[in-house]
Amino acid sequence: MTEEDAEPIRRRPGGRAARVRQAVLAAALEVLAEEGVTQFGIAAVASRAGVNETTVYRRWGTREKLVLDAMLAGSTEGIPVPDTGDVRTDLAAFARALADYLGTPAGRAVARAAALSSDDPGLAEAWETFWQSRLEMAGAIVDRAVERGELPTGTDTGLALELLCSPLQTRALLGHRPIEPDLPERLADTVLDGLRGRA
């Protein structure tokens, strides 16, 4: 075996692991979009990803952990947290990314799944972890704005993000009204007016 032949073999484990993870998470989002969380099963995900069920169980352990990881990966990739140095621009960009993500099958599936209440303790814990993780990531927008003096000290980060995101999620889930092109900017202005007015 030549040195050139050996190089791909040394790289293979890390590369294969990353490919398997990506394939499984993509398949999980597809199954979630098509079947919903109540019918979500590891067997279906493994089949679609082209891997053995044991591979999925070995990495994720339970369907709840797989659902959570897929939702976090999908939303993190689909809804990046901007950092432009201006709170209005950041809030509007975040709202626009959320609106775009909710317009995709994966985004709608994540929103529907996260909106469901569950009697299953495992799923309930997954939803709580999902929301807390997203709040911590997106909350950086508000925290940075407070540090820059754009928002008052003591601004309620969670409330600010709920005010920004809830109208978009409501429209995506209920489907009664479209998301107008200028809605992200209008929501950012409304949230900022409210937070600054309260102060």
Side-chain angles (χ1 to χ4, degrees):
M1 178 183 294
T2 67
E3 185 175 343
E4 291 79 6
D5 292 332
E7 179 63 19
I9 294 175
R10 286 199 297 269
R11 285 198 224 169
R12 189 175 174 217
R16 181 180 184 281
R19 287 194 301 274
V20 167
R21 173 178 164 77
Q22 184 177 11
V24 170
L25 293 180
L29 285 174
E30 290 173 5
V31 172
L32 194 61
E34 293 172 13
E35 305 293 339
V37 70
T38 56
Q39 300 299 317
F40 183 91
I42 285 182
V45 172
S47 175
R48 187 170 301 214
V51 300
N52 292 323
E53 283 186 61
T54 53
T55 299
V56 180
Y57 278 109
R58 187 165 55 246
R59 181 179 288 261
W60 283 276
T62 65
R63 65 188 286 267
E64 292 81 11
K65 289 181 180 177
L66 176 56
V67 168
L68 173 61
D69 200 9
M71 288 171 56
L72 285 172
S75 63
T76 300
E77 181 179 340
I79 317 170
V81 177
D83 183 8
T84 66
D86 176 76
V87 66
R88 181 186 184 275
T89 304
D90 284 350
L91 289 174
F94 185 75
R96 183 167 304 286
L98 174 60
D100 291 343
Y101 184 63
L102 291 172
T104 67
R108 285 191 296 273
V110 168
R112 283 194 299 267
L116 290 175
S117 60
S118 177
D119 295 329
D120 182 325
L123 283 175
E125 183 179 354
W127 301 160
E128 183 177 351
T129 302
F130 172 76
W131 285 120
Q132 187 60 38
S133 175
R134 288 304 304 170
L135 176 61
E136 289 173 1
M137 285 187 281
I141 295 173
V142 177
D143 295 341
R144 288 191 299 256
V146 171
E147 291 172 4
R148 292 192 299 262
E150 295 176 288
L151 289 174
T153 301
T155 294
D156 188 327
T157 301
L159 178 61
L161 293 173
E162 288 173 0
L163 291 170
L164 180 73
C165 300
S166 293
L168 299 170
Q169 293 166 330
T170 298
R171 293 191 186 193
L173 289 171
L174 301 180
H176 296 315
R177 296 177 60 194
I179 296 175
E180 300 92 342
D182 66 336
L183 184 58
E185 285 75 16
R186 288 192 286 127
L187 288 173
D189 287 336
T190 299
V191 170
L192 290 173
D193 287 346
L195 295 175
R196 289 165 174 165
R198 181 185 175 106

